[in-house]
Amino acid sequence: MLQVSPHFLEQTLDKKLMSDLRRKRTAHERAKELFASGEFSSGRKWADDAPKEKLDTNTVNLIASGACGAFVHGLEDEMFGKGNPAEFWMTRSLSSDIREALHELLCYTNVSTKECIQLALLELLKNLNKYPTDRNSVWKCLKFLGSRHPTLVLPLVPELLSTHPYFDTPEPDMDDPAYIAVLVLVFNAAKSCPTMPALFSDHTFRHYAYLRDSLSHLVPPLRVYGLDSVDSGPGSGSVESAQLFLQQSLNRVSTIQNLEAPGAQDLLDLTIR
C-alpha cells in the first residue's frame, strides 16, 4: 500500500472489539474515566448522569477506527466466503502462507526458558489440530526448536513423553501427527544432550527407529544403547554391530541340542525376541 503511513498499516493488524465504529471500552475503563472526570451521579439532580456526548456518525474517522483489525478479520473470514468463493480461497491461501512464514521465523528464534518452549509447542500443536495440512511445516519448525534448545527441552521430556519412573505407560499412537511432532522436538534436542535418551521408554526407542527410516530429514542420527544410528552407511559401525549381534545369537543357540526340551525352547524364544 503506497502513500499510507505505518501507523495506519499497523492498525490493520490490530483486532479490537468495536461498537458503533469505535473501540468498545471495558466496564473498568468506563468507571475509571467517570471517576477521573467527576461525572458520577450524585443523586441530587434529575438525569445528572445522562450521557454528555452525542455521537455524530459524520464525524467518525473511518480510517482510524474502521481499519482496526481489517486484515485479521479478512484472514479469519468467519462466513467462509459464501458470498465470494474466489475471495475465500485467495484468503485461505494467503493465510497458509503467513502461517508457514511464522513457522520459518520460529526456526531461527532463541528462547530463554523451558516455559517458552512448552508454550511454543502447545500453540504449534493447536495449529496442527486446526490445519492438518501444516504438519510438514510444523514438524520442521519443531526440529529447529529442539536442536537449538536441548537444555530447555531436557526437563520437559518426562512430561512430553508421559514417562513414569516406576510404572509402564500406554504406548502412544504412531499415526498421530501431534505425537510425531513431540518426538521430532525431543529427538533433535537429544542429539546435543547425551543424557536425554536415559529418559526414554522402550517404545520411544522403537519409535525413533521407525521415524529415522520414514522421516530421516526430520530425525537426526542418535547413539542408542551404545550403537551407532542405522544410517551410518555401508561398511560402517551399524553393519558391524548387526554382524556381531548375529554371531552372538548363533553362539547362544549353538548348544541348544545339549539342553532339555523346556530349557531349549525358552532359550530359543529369548533369542528370537
Side-chain angles (χ1 to χ4, degrees), residues 164-178:
H164 193 281
Y166 306 113
F167 302 105
D168 287 335
T169 55
E171 183 171 344
D173 183 7
M174 275 304 296
D175 293 330
D176 183 5

Side-chain angles (χ1 to χ4, degrees), residues 5 17 47 49 67 85 91 93 105 122 131 143 145 154 188-189 212 259:
S5 70
L17 184 61
D49 59 345
T91 301
S93 177
L105 176 64
L122 179 62
Y131 303 102
K143 169 188 175 181
L145 281 177
L154 177 62
N188 280 277
R212 185 66 192 136
L259 299 177

Side-chain angles (χ1 to χ4, degrees), residues 240-254:
E240 294 172 359
S241 298
Q243 292 174 342
L244 177 61
F245 171 76
L246 179 60
Q247 185 61 46
Q248 290 174 343
S249 299
L250 292 175
N251 292 338
R252 200 177 283 147
V253 299
S254 60

Side-chain angles (χ1 to χ4, degrees), residues 12-89:
T12 65
L13 300 174
D14 186 15
K15 181 179 179 183
K16 292 184 174 67
L17 184 61
M18 308 295 291
S19 177
D20 296 328
L21 300 178
R22 308 189 71 178
R23 180 177 178 272
K24 188 174 182 179
R25 294 169 298 171
T26 65
H28 178 73
E29 290 173 332
R30 294 195 300 270
K32 182 179 179 181
E33 182 178 336
L34 287 173
F35 179 80
S37 62
E39 293 182 359
F40 274 111
S41 173
S42 64
R44 296 179 182 178
K45 295 176 60 179
W46 175 257
D48 63 347
D49 59 345
K52 293 180 173 54
E53 177 188 3
K54 184 177 181 180
L55 179 63
D56 183 2
T57 56
N58 293 326
T59 64
V60 175
N61 188 335
L62 295 179
I63 294 297
S65 59
C68 293
F71 190 67
V72 179
H73 279 293
L75 289 179
E76 289 181 347
D77 189 11
E78 296 172 357
M79 296 304 293
F80 295 100
K82 293 180 180 178
N84 191 336
E87 181 181 351
F88 165 74
W89 290 113

Side-chain angles (χ1 to χ4, degrees), residues 1 13 20 27 47 51 61 84 117 140 143 146 160-161 177 184 191 208 222 248 255 259 266 268:
M1 297 181 183
L13 300 174
D20 296 328
N61 188 335
N84 191 336
I117 290 290
K140 177 186 174 183
K143 169 188 175 181
L160 296 179
L161 299 182
V184 168
K191 183 177 182 180
Y208 163 75
L222 300 177
Q248 290 174 343
T255 58
L259 299 177
D266 292 342
L268 185 60

